[in-house]
Amino acid sequence: MNAPDAPLFDAPAVGQYLDQAGVTPASCRRARQQFGDRLRAYYDRQPAGTPIVQARTAFVDLLLRRIWATQMGDVPGAERLALVAVGGYGRGELHACSDVDILVLAPRAGDVNRVSEALTGFITFLYDTGLDIGASVRSLRQCVDEGRRDVTIATALLEARLLAGSETLFEQLSRRTGPDKMWPTRKFMAAKLAEQHVRYGKFDATAYKLEPNVKESPGGLRDIHTIGWVAKRHFGARTLHELVEHDFLEPDEYRQLVEGQEFLSEVRNGLHLLTGRKHDHLLFDQQRELARRFGYQDTAGSLAVEQFMKRYYGTVKGLSRLNEMLLQHFEEEILLARRSDRATPLNSRFQLRKDFIEVRNAQVFRRYPFALLELFLLLQQHRRHVRGVRAGTVRLIRKHLHLIDDAFRADLRCTSLFMEIIRQPHGIGHELQRMHRYGVLARYIPAFGRVLGQMQHDLFHVYTVDEHSLFVLRNTRSYAFPEENIPALELGYQIFPRIPKPELLYLAALFHDVAKGRGGDHSVLGESEAHAFCRLHRLSEFDSRLVAWLVRHHLLMSSVSQRQDIGDPDVIRAFAATVGDQVHLDYLYLLTVADMRGTGPTVWNSWKGSLLTALYLATRRALRRGLGSPIDAHEQALDIRHRAAELLPAEQVDPRECERFWERLDDDYFLRFTAEEIAWHAKHILRARSAAPAVVATRDFPDRGSTGVMVYTRDRKYLFAAITSTLDRLALDIVDARIYTSRDGYALDAFLVTDINGNPVSNPAARREIRAALRRALQEDPLSLKPGGRRVSRQHKAFHVTTEVSFATDLSRDRTVVELICKDRPGLLSQVAQAFAEAGLVLQNARVNTYGERAEDAFFITDAAGHAVTDAERLNALREDLIRRLGQELPPGL
């Protein structure tokens, strides 16, 4: 039975086995197990789609027919019934572990009642075999009534297939559920379009999620099913190939559909066989295993899993395009058939028909290749009157994409048209996305074409590079519409009207990640791509250099704001020197915010927004003051102290008492905190009794999207570690940590925290619990360092991150910067703080950053005397200790 040349499903052998063993639940389970083993062995040799689908369908057909004959063959009245395969099973599309949906059909409800006991035994028998059965028992009238009410049931009946029983009854079902009896084609088509719209909404209308659903995501198998359902309803077609005969599908499009369906079937079968159940989400660990099964290997430029997923995303993108075009073709043929067919000319090449734009002649693109871009400009200019592009014109675009070559790209008419598109007041993002869907953008910008479907195998980059770039472009367009009132864009709304040429920002957004996946620094490689494109499009050298500079430095502002101490005047001075002038700062801020907001739903938050705002405003002040006369740190500290003093009356704090308290603090304190925070600290510290062992306070920072936690107490070993471990046990995420120790030995540690959903802790009772837990922890002697009890998500567990520790010396502040990259985990800060404490080092400040599964944190430390650590042996020992603590995988149970 397991010979290499044996067929995947040997029907005579299975039949003979059942004849000998008898048709019992045990024998059927045994047959299923043997067949399943054969499927796995077959797939292990070579991933397969159709062969496994066909074999499993045939196997289940044989099994059900045998069971029906055994259980129902001699039951009086059962000959009037029909056993019917419906849904995917009726379509003959059973993947390795797909559900098996069946219908037991009766002429009338009374016929069911007469054999109800036997039917119960039959269905129980099916469950006992271990099949994932979805069974329904209905009369002919019930099928018709429920099919009329529910398009999903009507669709399942559309694919019904007789397995056993009355052929006459099955034919009656087919007649009474036809389009002339219920769900006429127009109504069915409209319902299926609405159904697809809802389904797409569940996946954010993109096929490029990190863990896509092979069946339901846009471009997945369900898109092919939808085309088939409408074709069956409209033409009575049984196969997709019949659409070629009806001139709705070109032969090459049919091949693309078949090849795409085969690949997705191979992937879906792999998921089922890996998990041993119906499972359609392509999760991270399964992506890696399937990449191996498909024969991909890691290279210097990309991981095997990234190569595999690039093929996956390329496939679903192509299928999504075909789905859009074909359904629109159906819509024009079915839903819009009654509208006037009169055409309204737009120019000599294009016209409007039924509110859709179309070519006036099938030779337009061959005669006037520049019309491949002109079409999108017309869509922008007539956006109030145009619903879209006729399916026939979309097909012509696809056929003529080869005309977009180097000569096309250098044609003045084409470059002028593209710049007109990018300069229009409306529809830029929408039409560039349409250009992307139709394949025009990838042909026109070859560098953009190379990142189609390019993913990064991590939790930080939620979308593929091409989709992310278009998201960023649309985010830059949002600045032009302040009436949308997006809170994150408040400063951007003020800056955007001042930038001289918005199109330069849009081009930078389009090119900022265009060189990813090539190896090397994508910012540097992308810089030259952007400059060449701008010069080709006849932008001035100044404008071209500005776009190229933005691409080169698009990560700079986020990196400085999140990983450096922006309260340090030297940091601001260095950043301002790189930026150079207000124009570059404005463009860079707008691009940075758009980029972060387009990376993923968890990347942007109010805290990161407040850091960027603070960096922008501080740099603007430095530029206005002049790089030749930078602000002095002491002068800046005095300014912050003065502004904090102005806030004291509102906090009901005695200014004289506060001044005495502030004298115990040096400039570092005032540089590290805002005036608002300093006044808040003073309020709680000065109100507390001097005998209090610790002052703990909390407050909301709505502009930062987080809750502030302040602890003031006498400094001692493991203090920071104890505080952070307590916050971790409370299931709080620390987004920022600042540590200050006064000259008289008191520590003031301040944190910004969110709950596990990334929201501020707004519940007063929850904030009281934070304060109480911290006070209890600080009363312990010695301090407790109990680990937290939070679990790590499944997605985080799927990744390995190599722990890296590097050191730098901040000479101006006489301190050492420890940069740490490792896998994020609960209690990370506490573990790091313990390492510092045990090494006799003082933690002054921390910048906490999480990028998906990766933690990239910066810690500012000194030795016990307050100086930078310069002893190489001591630093190496610290590195080894951190790697020992953090370099291993998370312990079981977390």
Side-chain angles (χ1 to χ4, degrees):
M1 191 169 179
N2 292 322
D5 57 349
L8 182 53
F9 170 53
D10 188 342
V14 175
Q16 183 179 8
Y17 166 74
L18 292 175
D19 287 341
Q20 294 173 350
V23 181
T24 67
S27 65
C28 291
R29 285 197 300 271
R30 175 63 176 159
R32 285 186 60 248
Q33 181 182 349
Q34 290 180 338
F35 178 70
D37 292 343
R38 188 185 288 260
L39 287 187
R40 289 181 182 85
Y42 188 95
Y43 194 90
D44 286 343
R45 291 194 297 271
Q46 175 65 48
T50 301
I52 288 178
V53 166
Q54 292 176 340
R56 183 159 186 258
T57 301
F59 171 77
V60 174
D61 282 357
L62 184 150
L63 208 59
L64 291 187
R65 286 173 177 141
R66 286 298 191 98
I67 297 170
W68 178 266
T70 301
Q71 294 292 303
M72 303 297 294
D74 297 328
V75 176
E79 72 279 358
R80 295 170 55 81
L81 307 180
L83 178 64
V84 180
V86 293
Y89 179 35
R91 194 167 54 242
E93 193 175 303
L94 278 186
H95 288 83
C97 295
S98 292
D99 295 340
V100 178
D101 292 326
I102 59 170
L103 164 69
V104 177
L105 179 65
R108 290 180 296 276
D111 295 303
V112 174
N113 295 334
R114 280 189 284 273
V115 294
S116 61
E117 186 176 344
L119 281 177
T120 300
F122 168 69
I123 294 173
T124 301
F125 188 109
L126 295 181
Y127 285 123
D128 289 343
T129 66
L131 284 170
D132 290 325
I133 287 288
S136 59
V137 180
R138 295 191 183 104
S139 68
L140 184 60
R141 176 63 180 272
Q142 287 172 327
C143 285
V144 173
D145 290 345
E146 293 189 29
R148 284 173 176 163
R149 284 195 297 268
D150 190 334
V151 72
T152 302
I153 294 176
T155 305
L157 295 174
L158 182 66
E159 299 181 308
R161 179 169 58 90
L162 181 65
L163 294 172
S166 173
E167 292 184 14
T168 302
L169 181 60
F170 180 73
E171 290 170 0
Q172 289 177 343
L173 176 70
S174 300
R175 287 196 302 271
R176 294 186 61 180
T177 57
D180 58 329
K181 301 295 183 181
M182 66 178 193
W183 290 98
T185 302
R186 284 174 56 84
K187 188 177 178 182
F188 184 82
M189 171 77 184
K192 284 299 164 187
L193 287 176
E195 196 175 72
Q196 178 166 289
H197 180 73
V198 171
R199 175 167 58 86
Y200 276 20
K202 295 177 181 178
F203 299 95
D204 298 330
T206 178
Y208 304 106
K209 287 289 190 177
L210 285 179
E211 295 183 317
N213 187 302
V214 177
K215 182 179 178 182
E216 301 289 349
S217 291
L221 288 166
R222 187 61 83 203
D223 276 12
I224 302 175
H225 300 160
T226 301
I227 295 168
W229 292 330
V230 178
K232 289 174 183 177
R233 202 64 175 177
H234 186 55
F235 294 117
R238 298 299 300 179
T239 66
L240 286 173
H241 190 267
E242 292 181 43
L243 289 178
V244 180
E245 301 167 10
H246 288 284
D247 295 327
F248 261 67
L249 199 60
E250 298 284 336
D252 63 317
E253 294 167 348
Y254 171 74
R255 283 193 298 273
Q256 184 179 2
L257 270 179
V258 171
E259 290 170 3
Q261 184 175 30
E262 178 64 21
F263 174 68
L264 293 183
S265 290
E266 292 171 3
V267 174
R268 192 178 185 211
N269 280 329
L271 288 175
H272 287 193
L273 292 170
L274 283 174
T275 60
R277 58 187 174 86
K278 178 186 175 183
H279 175 78
D280 298 329
H281 269 102
L282 190 49
L283 306 181
F284 290 119
D285 51 348
Q286 293 149 9
Q287 291 172 16
R288 286 194 289 267
E289 176 58 24
L290 286 178
R292 186 190 67 78
R293 296 282 185 97
F294 276 74
Y296 291 96
Q297 296 181 345
D298 292 346
T299 66
S302 64
L303 299 173
V305 65
E306 293 174 347
Q307 299 166 45
F308 168 69
M309 291 305 293
K310 185 166 187 175
R311 179 184 175 189
Y312 173 84
Y313 290 128
T315 299
V316 296
K317 185 170 189 64
L319 291 175
S320 185
R321 287 175 183 168
L322 275 176
N323 171 271
E324 178 186 11
M325 185 191 73
L326 290 172
L327 289 185
Q328 185 171 311
H329 207 335
F330 282 127
E331 184 178 7
E332 294 167 9
E333 173 80 10
I334 299 168
L335 299 185
L336 305 179
R338 299 173 186 174
R339 289 195 181 186
S340 169
D341 205 41
R342 187 165 57 90
T344 303
L346 294 177
N347 61 22
S348 60
R349 289 168 293 280
F350 295 98
Q351 62 191 16
L352 222 62
R353 190 189 303 273
K354 298 181 180 180
D355 298 332
F356 285 85
I357 197 169
E358 66 177 5
V359 294
R360 299 186 67 177
N361 186 292
Q363 303 301 313
V364 161
F365 296 129
R366 186 177 63 82
R367 295 172 182 169
Y368 311 100
F370 66 84
L372 287 164
L373 292 179
E374 181 186 29
L375 168 70
F376 300 98
L377 180 60
L378 290 173
L379 284 162
Q380 290 174 300
Q381 294 172 339
H382 299 274
R383 65 190 182 89
R384 295 186 183 278
H385 311 291
V386 180
R387 291 180 57 188
V389 184
R390 286 292 290 256
T393 298
V394 175
R395 179 172 280 140
L396 285 173
I397 292 171
R398 289 164 49 83
K399 285 184 175 181
H400 290 87
L401 287 176
H402 67 278
L403 298 175
I404 305 178
D405 54 15
D406 287 341
F408 180 100
R409 299 179 194 105
D411 190 322
L412 177 60
R413 292 170 296 181
C414 296
T415 57
S416 299
L417 280 166
F418 185 84
M419 291 310 299
E420 276 295 298
I421 290 169
I422 211 82
R423 288 176 174 136
Q424 286 296 301
H426 297 281
I428 298 172
H430 191 273
E431 293 313 317
L432 282 175
Q433 179 67 54
R434 194 194 302 268
M435 290 171 69
H436 182 44
R437 291 201 310 274
Y438 294 174
V440 173
L441 193 60
R443 291 286 301 187
Y444 189 69
I445 307 177
F448 193 84
R450 287 195 287 272
V451 296
L452 293 184
Q454 179 70 45
M455 69 166 289
Q456 289 179 255
H457 193 60
D458 57 40
L459 291 176
F460 180 67
H461 298 90
V462 173
Y463 306 106
T464 56
V465 175
D466 51 329
E467 283 294 304
H468 162 70
S469 298
L470 291 170
F471 274 130
V472 175
L473 174 65
R474 289 199 291 275
N475 287 341
T476 60
R477 288 291 297 146
S478 296
Y479 297 122
F481 306 102
E483 63 274 11
E484 294 178 359
N485 197 28
I486 301 172
L489 305 186
E490 184 177 354
L491 179 58
Y493 291 142
Q494 300 172 31
I495 296 172
F496 183 78
R498 296 202 303 264
I499 63 172
K501 296 178 180 179
E503 65 268 23
L504 305 184
L505 178 63
Y506 307 149
L507 288 173
L510 200 57
F511 275 85
H512 77 288
D513 275 350
V514 80
K516 278 194 169 179
R518 299 188 197 176
D521 188 333
H522 77 280
S523 300
V524 175
L525 296 173
E527 177 184 23
S528 60
E529 293 275 9
H531 186 269
F533 182 87
C534 291
R535 294 302 287 158
L536 180 66
H537 287 71
R538 295 163 178 81
L539 271 66
S540 69
E541 180 61 21
F542 177 85
D543 288 349
S544 300
R545 287 189 178 276
L546 175 55
V547 174
W549 183 89
L550 288 169
V551 173
R552 172 70 179 83
H553 295 285
H554 72 273
L555 297 173
L556 176 65
M557 196 166 191
S558 60
S559 176
V560 171
S561 67
Q562 294 176 55
R563 303 185 68 175
Q564 298 187 40
D565 185 356
I566 59 175
D568 184 346
D570 289 339
V571 170
I572 301 301
R573 187 181 305 126
F575 178 70
T578 302
V579 170
D581 58 45
Q582 187 66 46
V583 171
H584 283 72
L585 177 63
D586 287 346
Y587 275 104
L588 185 59
Y589 172 83
L590 295 173
L591 179 60
T592 302
V593 172
D595 186 16
M596 292 174 67
R597 292 183 65 237
T599 301
T602 62
V603 173
W604 175 266
N605 56 42
S606 299
W607 166 237
K608 292 177 181 177
S610 69
L611 289 176
L612 286 174
T613 298
L615 177 57
Y616 174 87
L617 296 175
T619 307
R620 186 175 68 180
R621 287 193 295 269
L623 291 171
R624 288 176 177 174
R625 185 184 180 98
L627 297 179
S629 55
I631 191 169
D632 177 73
H634 180 64
E635 180 184 345
Q636 181 171 331
L638 287 176
D639 177 63
I640 295 172
R641 180 169 172 170
H642 175 71
R643 285 188 279 122
E646 292 176 342
L647 300 174
L648 294 178
E651 300 286 3
Q652 297 180 334
V653 174
D654 183 344
R656 291 170 299 181
E657 186 180 0
C658 188
E659 285 294 336
R660 288 193 294 272
F661 167 63
W662 282 347
E663 287 303 318
R664 296 155 52 192
L665 313 177
D666 56 25
D667 286 350
D668 271 355
Y669 171 73
F670 295 97
L671 293 173
R672 201 161 295 172
F673 299 98
T674 66
E676 182 185 30
E677 289 172 312
I678 290 167
W680 172 54
H681 297 164
K683 169 185 174 180
H684 288 281
I685 293 171
L686 296 177
R687 282 184 181 178
R689 297 194 302 272
S690 58
V695 177
V696 182
T698 58
R699 62 161 291 179
D700 273 345
F701 286 97
D703 58 326
R704 303 181 190 181
S706 55
T707 296
V709 178
M710 183 268 289
V711 176
Y712 177 76
T713 186
R714 184 166 291 282
D715 195 19
R716 52 180 164 155
K717 192 174 183 179
Y718 299 122
L719 175 63
F720 185 77
I723 296 171
T724 52
S725 65
T726 301
L727 294 175
D728 180 62
R729 287 197 300 275
L730 294 169
L732 298 171
D733 284 329
I734 300 171
V735 298
D736 183 62
R738 282 165 290 171
I739 303 98
Y740 175 78
T741 305
S742 67
R743 287 190 290 263
D744 56 351
Y746 275 81
L748 195 158
D749 294 352
F751 304 85
L752 291 178
V753 302
T754 64
D755 62 21
I756 56 175
N757 297 314
N759 301 316
V761 186
S762 54
N763 186 304
R767 291 216 297 270
R768 283 195 298 271
E769 173 56 24
I770 293 173
R771 296 193 296 270
L774 285 170
R775 291 190 184 104
R776 287 194 300 269
L778 296 175
Q779 287 173 0
E780 297 181 3
D781 189 16
L783 289 170
S784 172
L785 301 177
K786 291 179 293 187
R790 282 193 292 164
R791 292 183 175 272
V792 175
S793 72
R794 170 194 56 78
Q795 292 181 327
H796 277 72
K797 289 181 180 179
F799 289 91
H800 172 75
V801 179
T802 301
T803 299
E804 302 175 30
V805 182
S806 59
F807 303 102
T809 302
D810 182 355
L811 294 175
S812 64
R813 305 292 293 277
D814 193 17
R815 60 187 181 179
T816 298
V817 183
V818 182
E819 294 190 345
L820 171 67
I821 298 175
C822 66
K823 189 168 183 175
D824 188 32
R825 68 196 66 204
L828 173 60
L829 281 182
S830 180
Q831 289 179 280
V832 173
Q834 289 178 54
F836 291 151
E838 291 172 9
L841 301 172
V842 178
L843 179 59
Q844 289 193 341
N845 210 347
R847 302 315 301 264
V848 181
N849 295 288
T850 303
Y851 302 97
E853 75 283 359
R854 292 164 60 90
E856 297 189 10
D857 299 340
F859 303 93
F860 303 85
I861 62 171
T862 66
D863 59 20
H867 301 297
V869 182
T870 57
D871 184 346
E873 185 175 340
R874 190 175 185 185
L875 291 176
N876 283 333
L878 176 61
R879 177 189 287 112
E880 291 176 6
D881 186 32
L882 287 171
I883 291 175
R884 178 184 60 80
R885 293 172 184 267
L886 307 174
Q888 53 194 323
E889 290 299 316
L890 296 170
L894 286 183

